[in-house]
Amino acid sequence: MKQLLIVAHAPSENMQALVSALTEGAQDSEIDDVTVVVAEALKTTPKQVLACDGIILFTSENLAYMSGGMKDFNSLCTFSL
């Protein structure tokens, strides 16, 4: 069984709705042998990243760059791995 990790920083209701739609699509009944794990960017651990087979990073765009929460996630993983 493969594991897909969705790391999301979705601070608004609209962004949370998009994460829900993404999760629903990833769990479609036509997709076999994939477990989907959704984690908040600020609460995701390096252990979760190492355990997954695929990763989707989901964040809002702020002034043509990723959100602060996603930058913190990237820093955590870079220094922990």
Side-chain angles (χ1 to χ4, degrees):
M1 174 92 44
K2 300 287 184 182
Q3 185 180 75
L4 173 64
L5 176 63
I6 299 173
V7 179
H9 184 246
S12 70
E13 288 183 27
N14 288 337
M15 295 297 287
Q16 291 168 7
L18 289 170
V19 171
S20 294
L22 173 63
T23 304
E24 184 179 323
Q27 294 173 332
D28 188 276
S29 62
E30 292 188 23
I31 300 173
D32 295 329
D33 298 327
V34 176
T35 301
V36 178
V37 176
V38 180
E40 293 182 33
L42 296 173
K43 295 180 180 179
T44 305
T45 65
K47 184 177 179 179
Q48 287 175 297
V49 174
L50 291 171
C52 74
D53 297 290
I55 188 167
I56 295 174
L57 303 177
F58 183 90
T59 185
S60 57
E61 175 270 330
N62 296 313
L63 301 172
Y65 200 62
M66 71 179 88
S67 69
M70 192 59 69
K71 286 189 278 189
D72 288 349
F73 163 76
N74 287 334
S75 295
L76 168 75
C77 287
T78 301
F79 291 116
S80 298
L81 297 177

